[in-house]
Amino acid sequence: MSVAESELEYVPQQWTHSHLLGLESLTAEEITLILDTADRFKALVGDGRNKLKVLAGTTTANLFFENSTRTRTSFGLAARRLGADVVDFSASSSSLAKGETIIDTAKTIEAMGVDCVVVRHRTPGTPHLLAQNLGCSVINAGDGAHEHPTQGLLDILTIRQHRGSLTGLTVALVGDIAHSRTARSNIWGLKKLGAHVIVCGPATLVSRRWEELGVEVSYSLDEILPRCDVVNLLRIQFERQLTRPFPSVREYAHLYAMNKQRMARAKKDILIMAPGPINRGVELTPDVADGPQSVILEQVSNGLAIRMAVLWLCCGRRA
Amino acid sequence: MSRILIQNGRVIDPSQSLDRVTNLLIEHGRIAALDVPADHLSGDPEGRVIDAAGRIVSPGLIDLGTQLREPGHEEDETIHTGTAAALAGGFTTVACLPGTDPPLDSQGTVEFVQHQAERADHCNVVVIACVSKNREGKELAEIGQLVQAGAVAFSDGDAPIANAELMRRAFQYCLMFDKPILSHAEVKELTAAGVMHDGLESLILGLPGMPAAAEEVMVSRDISLAEAIGGRLHILQVSTAGSVEILRRAKARGVKVTAGISPHLFTLSDRSLRTFDSNYKTNPPLRSQQDVEACIGGLVDGTIDVICSQHSPHAEEKKMRELDLAPFGIVGLETALSLVVTQLIEPGHLDWSSALAKLTCQPAAVLGLSNKGTLRPGADADVTIIDPQAQWQVDTSRFFSKSRCSPFHGRTLRGRVETVIVGGRVKFHAEALVS
């Protein structure tokens, strides 16, 4: 074991959770601890050739009941880089298709000796249901429109790496707030760390009620843009919408797409983020997505560091 | 048939504005007399004396809207278990909703329910039959024949009648029989995919919401139709501040409308959904705290006439699902009275007489049951004796219902049913059925 890795032998005492279900219930100190841990893992592991052993002997199961490539791959890689074994559970070939309840399915998998389940599910609260019924760690990898805590954390880590601190920054979340778990996790995390948060998009997707939680609500990207230090462009989740919330994609792009004209009116050092997958031409144009202010790919590599940190903090005491 | 003397109880009968400690005599299945001397049965070896000192003696409770699930969903509840649960909750009469499979839209199914209730021999069951054939909201059911079979009211249960013209025709047709239409007020287009009240909590939880307007639009529509026709309308469940206000105004101008509410709607708010526990998934949904307070206001000023259990049993495995897949509904018969005591009487919102009115004579009036919900001499001898001081902890494993789906498991409640008399026979006593 290298000298640096030995620093990560014991999970810090101030971390008391064995699950990560959302950012709403975490304190600013706990969020900062995750971010600090992620920075250290990122420095240690580098490009991934340096594998660690802090979770050696443990097994992580990916329970993805919703299609996902990037998040599942990211969690799988993160666990392997810490020395854990990883099993992938595919919902379509499972006994769920045979009518088993999700709790029974999860208990069966846990009985095989799994230390941690990473859950993605279309229904809010499903990871909470599993956490109440299982003895192992449960990490929420996205529950419906509720929370996606590791996405929120990796977005915040990316901003922090560029700006040093979140305090006093103005961060706009643009687009489909109503159906976005990423928006909710970002809102909780950003506010706890002292940022000013604006949610911006069509009125059918952005509730005025967010103001009750101290979030600014805007329907005009052009109006808020000059004030923004960060713009996070959320994907329009067509698959979650029962009825189309705006007249046409064309009209949406006209009002809310980040393009060259809008970039000209933004702060020079604005950060352009997108949790992906992105719809090029809808939420942002290719020249912005691939431009100098875009940190979209940094978000992806930070995702790995955040997931290593979260897996280790939640399961490190089991190794 | 033997005689029963209930002595020294605090007899509260809202139908005759009665509230005093006295003795009540039951003879031949009917209320015989009040204020009889304590030694009235001393010469009768068959006579039974029940000492009700420190207890409340009330007309038997009447539940306006119970799901008994039989026929069709016996895994959730049967008429046998549902009526046992009714007795345990102090109800001597339940009006069963027609949302069975097949639905109660024919003489045959109505008579089946009546036969099963006779076989169970627990409490009285009266039938609410369908407004529309197969509860589809397209054609009127054979309302006249259903009345002949014994149906006391008409409703499509939790399937709201979307077609306003059909609702209008139903009000007109029911005028012939002087029967009320019981409406589940919900505009389905506004609640599609919803699992909870649409508000700040649903926004935070990312759960699809059911807006208050979905109820209020339908309450308004039904009131307009009933008012135009002169029909009798009862809103099964009121849950929003807006609905209470709409009803208040309608009553003030003399519309023949009544309304009900179930205890979970004046006890719990949408904040409970933070647990993601499907035992908080109900329809109408648990509303905001302001709505809860407005509903209590409606109970206090008489805008809301009836308290009903909205007993909606489900087999446990159906509720052990993700929140969107779990069905709506919870059981309520065995906790209803104690929640009324704990949430409405103890905090001083209602006194015993006005609370019991909403569980006895007022539901009886909606259903047109002239011999029930009262202790007037000659009425059916349905009596519930309540220990108002008892404290007990809800334990769903001890429910008489087949279903365990209650959000009140573990809660300590005040006031408990002690003895239930149906048709002059003691059917429940000291937490056990009496056969």
Side-chain angles (χ1 to χ4, degrees):
Chain A
M1 192 183 283
S2 67
V3 177
E5 188 177 353
S6 67
E7 290 172 31
L8 293 164
E9 200 167 354
Y10 298 107
V11 173
Q13 274 186 341
Q14 60 265 42
W15 183 262
T16 55
H17 306 282
S18 58
H19 309 302
L20 179 69
L21 301 177
L23 297 190
E24 187 192 359
S25 55
L26 295 188
T27 63
E29 292 71 27
E30 288 168 331
I31 292 170
T32 302
L33 177 65
I34 300 173
L35 300 178
D36 293 347
T37 308
D39 275 336
R40 290 166 76 192
F41 273 121
K42 195 174 182 183
L44 263 176
V45 177
D47 61 3
R49 272 172 229 180
N50 183 17
K51 271 201 178 181
L52 307 180
K53 300 186 192 69
V54 292
L55 288 186
T58 70
T59 304
T60 291
N62 279 331
L63 263 62
F64 278 60
F65 299 99
E66 240 187 6
N67 287 335
S68 155
T69 310
R70 59 176 66 216
T71 306
R72 185 165 48 84
T73 308
S74 180
F75 267 107
L77 277 175
R80 286 191 188 92
R81 284 184 187 176
L82 299 178
D85 290 322
V86 179
V87 289
D88 269 317
F89 175 87
S90 159
S92 55
S93 64
S94 75
S95 43
L96 278 179
K98 298 169 192 159
E100 192 175 52
T101 70
I102 187 168
I103 295 172
D104 287 328
T105 303
K107 279 186 172 170
T108 305
I109 290 166
E110 188 191 24
M112 295 175 191
V114 165
D115 301 284
C116 176
V117 293
V118 177
V119 192
R120 165 161 296 187
H121 198 282
R122 75 168 192 286
T123 311
T126 304
H128 307 66
L129 197 66
L130 296 187
Q132 283 157 22
N133 285 280
L134 300 181
C136 67
S137 292
V138 177
I139 312 277
N140 181 0
D143 61 330
H146 178 223
E147 283 230 41
H148 189 356
T150 57
Q151 180 70 47
L153 289 164
L154 73 89
D155 289 343
I156 292 166
L157 180 66
T158 307
I159 300 170
R160 197 177 80 159
Q161 285 169 355
H162 280 269
R163 295 295 154 86
S165 161
L166 274 295
T167 311
L169 293 184
T170 295
V171 180
L173 304 166
V174 179
D176 188 352
I177 309 298
H179 300 93
S180 176
R181 51 195 172 212
T182 296
R184 285 171 179 76
S185 289
N186 261 284
I187 286 167
W188 298 121
L190 289 166
K191 285 199 61 66
K192 282 169 203 269
L193 296 188
H196 174 65
V197 182
I198 309 174
V199 290
C200 177
T204 43
L205 294 173
V206 180
S207 170
R208 274 277 162 209
R209 285 208 178 94
W210 285 115
E211 290 172 350
E212 294 173 47
L213 298 170
V215 174
E216 183 181 340
V217 173
S218 168
Y219 304 136
S220 168
L221 179 58
D222 289 321
E223 190 272 311
I224 61 162
L225 191 55
R227 291 189 278 136
C228 293
D229 298 296
V230 180
V231 170
N232 198 341
L233 301 152
L234 307 178
R235 187 173 66 87
I236 298 297
Q237 305 204 33
F238 294 107
E239 72 280 8
R240 289 189 204 280
Q241 298 161 359
L242 284 182
T243 49
R244 186 172 269 202
F246 43 78
S248 67
V249 170
R250 188 170 160 270
E251 174 150 310
Y252 179 85
H254 177 69
L255 291 170
Y256 298 106
M258 209 53 201
N259 54 28
K260 198 189 290 176
Q261 292 73 35
R262 291 206 165 96
M263 281 303 281
R265 301 186 52 247
K267 287 186 180 178
K268 289 287 161 269
D269 59 352
I270 189 170
L271 295 180
I272 300 295
M273 306 177 78
I278 55 175
N279 299 316
R280 285 179 185 251
V282 181
E283 295 99 18
L284 71 177
T285 53
D287 53 321
V288 177
D290 306 326
Q293 297 313 116
S294 165
V295 293
I296 293 172
L297 292 176
E298 286 174 46
Q299 289 174 267
V300 178
S301 60
N302 280 334
L304 210 55
I306 284 289
R307 283 160 191 138
M308 282 194 280
V310 166
L311 285 167
W312 179 66
L313 288 169
C314 291
C315 324
R317 294 195 182 97
R318 295 174 197 267
Chain B
M1 210 179 279
S2 60
R3 299 193 291 173
I4 300 174
L5 179 69
I6 304 167
Q7 65 176 20
N8 296 323
R10 178 181 166 195
V11 179
I12 302 178
D13 179 8
S15 76
Q16 6 177 15
S17 305
L18 182 77
D19 182 351
R20 67 169 181 269
V21 174
T22 186
N23 304 326
L24 175 73
L25 180 68
I26 292 169
E27 250 175 16
H28 310 301
R30 303 211 172 266
I31 304 293
L34 276 160
D35 307 323
V36 294
D39 60 354
H40 188 83
L41 293 186
S42 58
D44 179 0
E46 299 280 293
R48 177 171 176 183
V49 175
I50 295 174
D51 180 20
R55 307 292 186 260
I56 285 170
V57 179
S58 163
L61 311 185
I62 297 172
D63 194 35
L64 209 176
T66 312
Q67 307 264 14
L68 292 176
R69 301 291 190 215
E70 186 184 353
H73 294 288
E74 291 82 356
E75 71 278 15
D76 297 334
E77 193 81 285
T78 62
I79 291 171
H80 193 274
T81 57
T83 50
L87 287 177
F91 291 95
T92 53
T93 299
V94 297
C96 75
L97 287 161
T100 49
D101 184 18
L104 309 182
D105 66 351
S106 67
Q107 283 183 305
T109 47
V110 170
E111 285 170 8
F112 170 78
V113 169
Q114 292 163 343
H115 282 301
Q116 288 295 77
E118 280 166 29
R119 285 190 194 108
D121 194 22
H122 290 147
C123 70
N124 306 299
V125 175
V126 295
V127 174
I128 301 164
C130 294
V131 172
S132 73
K133 284 185 184 129
N134 208 27
R135 298 203 302 151
E136 285 171 352
K138 291 177 185 160
E139 292 175 69
L140 288 183
E142 293 174 332
I143 287 172
Q145 306 214 21
L146 290 164
V147 169
Q148 273 184 3
V152 296
F154 291 87
S155 175
D156 276 356
D158 53 11
I161 297 164
N163 182 335
E165 193 281 328
L166 183 79
M167 190 65 161
R168 179 173 173 274
R169 208 167 353 128
F171 276 124
Q172 286 177 324
Y173 201 74
C174 279
L175 284 179
M176 297 197 293
F177 312 101
D178 191 28
K179 296 296 179 201
I181 292 181
L182 319 183
S183 168
H184 168 81
E186 178 184 358
V187 176
K188 284 278 188 188
E189 291 84 355
L190 291 171
T191 58
V195 300
M196 67 178 291
H197 173 60
D198 182 67
L200 185 62
E201 296 297 333
S202 69
L203 186 76
I204 290 170
L205 298 178
L207 284 166
M210 304 164 78
E215 177 177 306
E216 291 153 7
V217 168
M218 201 58 125
V219 170
S220 297
R221 184 204 75 173
D222 286 348
I223 286 173
S224 296
L225 293 172
E227 188 172 15
I229 306 295
R232 281 173 60 196
L233 167 66
H234 176 76
I235 304 291
L236 280 167
Q237 299 288 335
V238 170
S239 68
T240 77
S243 295
V244 173
E245 192 47 41
I246 293 163
L247 279 160
R248 192 174 278 136
R249 287 201 301 264
K251 286 187 159 197
R253 65 176 188 269
V255 184
K256 278 187 269 180
V257 59
T258 52
I261 189 171
S262 47
H264 55 266
L265 291 173
F266 60 67
T267 303
L268 302 169
S269 77
D270 57 349
R271 225 184 135 71
S272 306
L273 268 299
R274 290 239 169 182
T275 59
F276 296 104
D277 182 344
S278 66
N279 284 325
Y280 296 105
K281 183 178 175 185
T282 65
N283 186 0
L286 303 176
R287 301 289 186 183
S288 72
Q289 192 55 40
Q290 295 94 288
D291 290 310
V292 170
E293 282 157 23
C295 286
I296 292 173
L299 282 160
V300 170
D301 73 6
T303 303
I304 301 176
D305 314 81
V306 170
I307 296 170
C308 58
S309 75
Q310 208 195 358
H311 187 74
S312 305
H314 291 289
E316 208 169 350
E317 65 272 15
K318 293 185 186 173
K319 277 288 207 182
M320 281 175 68
R321 306 292 303 275
E322 298 90 320
L323 211 48
D324 56 342
L325 297 178
F328 289 102
I330 54 176
V331 295
L333 284 168
E334 293 171 72
T335 49
L337 176 68
S338 299
L339 285 165
V340 169
V341 177
T342 309
Q343 299 296 127
L344 299 178
I345 297 176
E346 291 269 307
H349 298 305
L350 294 180
D351 58 21
W352 271 95
S353 185
S354 50
L356 287 176
K358 295 177 199 297
L359 288 158
T360 59
C361 56
Q362 280 162 207
V366 172
L367 296 170
L369 305 174
S370 54
N371 278 328
K372 296 195 179 296
T374 177
L375 297 175
R376 274 192 307 274
D380 295 341
D382 297 343
V383 180
T384 299
I385 303 175
I386 302 158
D387 179 353
Q389 297 303 325
Q391 275 207 349
W392 63 291
Q393 195 176 31
V394 180
D395 177 356
T396 55
S397 72
R398 302 186 65 184
F399 276 0
F400 287 82
S401 170
K402 242 185 175 179
S403 171
R404 303 282 172 262
C405 302
S406 167
F408 300 112
H409 178 70
R411 214 182 244 240
T412 300
L413 299 178
R414 175 78 77 164
R416 194 161 199 191
V417 173
E418 197 165 81
T419 307
V420 182
I421 298 168
V422 181
R425 292 185 298 155
V426 175
K427 301 303 294 182
F428 185 87
H429 180 69
E431 298 173 38
L433 297 171
V434 178
S435 53

